[in-house]
Amino acid sequence: MKSINGPYDVVVVGGGAAGLSAGLVLGRSRRRVLIVDAGEPRNAPAAHMQGYLSRDGMPPAEFLAAGRREVAAYGVETADDRVTDVRADGPGEFTVDLAGGRSVHARRVVLATGLVDALPDVPGLAERWGRDVLHCPYCHGYEVRDQPFGVIASPVTGIHQALLVTQWSKDVTLFPHTAPKPSADDMEKLAVAGVTVVEGEVAGLDVRDDRLAGVRLADGRTVPRSVLFVEAGAVPRNALADRLGARTQDTPFGPYPAVDAGGRTSVPGVWAVGNAVGPKVQVVNAAAAGYQAGLVINHELTLGDIDEGVAARRGEAQAPA
């Protein structure tokens, strides 16, 4: 490993919406900041992102490129690299190792590492992901409105997604697949919502002319559908948080780092933001979380340095002549 560079006030691990937003606030606060980005954004398969005021419909890659230009204007550095380790060297002192061979010093660390969507084990889903196989109706529902929807039931959320997407289409078919059979109460809700239930395990997709045409079942049936919603399993990229010993909290989607309202983890000097703390964080929410973390970090550093200066001044005044 090469010699340590820095020091930086803050190293941000991850260059998505959360990480860039934290970097923007800290750069405007005249902090020396390094954002390390491995280039694996969660929403890369999507052609556009929706629901972000003033950025509705913008391609994700354009959004990130604009964010990089903005943070660079305030002196924030960005490295296309991967963080392999973060080591605490004492209160407010961290060494951050990069895959490219550098080690950098930081007073604070922001983990904006995001997550990976783990799709159900159905042939063809991954190839259509972000196109006509979707997971979030708030992100994509309007764009596919009034088309025939299919929903593969999730073992975690059950029929919830099928009920929800009826706001965007009245032609919805639920495939319980390998999830538990809906209860009598659930079947009543589905009937009231106008959702058709088709039993049987999903075996694959019927794709024609590069468009989803239907859902194939293991018994040979094909149910025509133009859009398929699935609840992807979320696998957080939290190896760094785990190695640092950050406390976790259990969620229906597995353990995630426990943070306070400002993004602080249980490890002093380490923040976690965006999808690093939960799978249901949209782009606009991730940006807000990064903003809040940047604000809190600058506040802590500024007042902490002043307190240290006061203590040193008092120590000098009390020292014998």
Side-chain angles (χ1 to χ4, degrees), residues 219-305:
D219 61 11
R221 290 177 294 161
T222 296
V223 180
R225 299 286 91 185
S226 299
V227 178
L228 183 61
F229 282 90
V230 300
E231 185 73 63
V235 181
R237 297 188 181 103
N238 280 332
L240 296 176
D242 291 341
R243 283 206 290 274
L244 287 164
R247 184 172 63 85
T248 61
Q249 60 182 356
D250 290 330
T251 76
F253 306 94
Y256 283 82
V259 297
D260 66 11
R264 285 189 185 90
T265 71
S266 61
V267 180
V270 178
W271 272 251
V273 293
N275 282 135
V277 299
K280 296 298 185 180
V281 179
Q282 311 293 348
V283 177
V284 66
N285 305 121
Y291 186 105
Q292 181 66 15
L295 184 153
V296 174
I297 291 170
N298 181 66
H299 185 274
E300 181 177 290
L301 287 173
T302 300
L303 297 188
D305 288 345

Side-chain angles (χ1 to χ4, degrees), residues 88-182:
D89 297 331
E93 303 290 333
F94 297 91
T95 298
V96 182
D97 296 334
L98 278 61
R102 276 203 298 164
S103 285
V104 297
H105 178 272
R107 300 173 66 191
R108 300 291 185 271
V109 173
V110 178
L111 301 177
T113 46
L115 57 79
V116 176
D117 288 307
L119 298 175
D121 187 18
V122 173
L125 286 187
E127 291 77 7
R128 310 302 304 173
W129 184 239
R131 302 168 68 185
D132 38 32
V133 174
L134 310 168
H135 73 107
C136 174
Y138 294 102
C139 302
H140 307 291
Y142 187 84
E143 283 63 44
V144 296
R145 63 194 181 278
D146 298 328
Q147 298 184 47
F149 287 3
V151 178
I152 296 180
S154 163
V156 177
T157 58
I159 70 167
H160 172 78
Q161 196 171 35
L163 297 176
L164 182 62
V165 300
T166 60
Q167 179 60 26
W168 287 270
S169 174
K170 299 307 178 186
D171 183 357
V172 178
T173 297
L174 172 67
F175 300 93
H177 188 44
T178 57
K181 184 177 179 179

Side-chain angles (χ1 to χ4, degrees), residues 1-5 101-104:
M1 192 66 64
K2 295 180 181 177
S3 60
I4 292 177
N5 301 129
R102 276 203 298 164
S103 285
V104 297

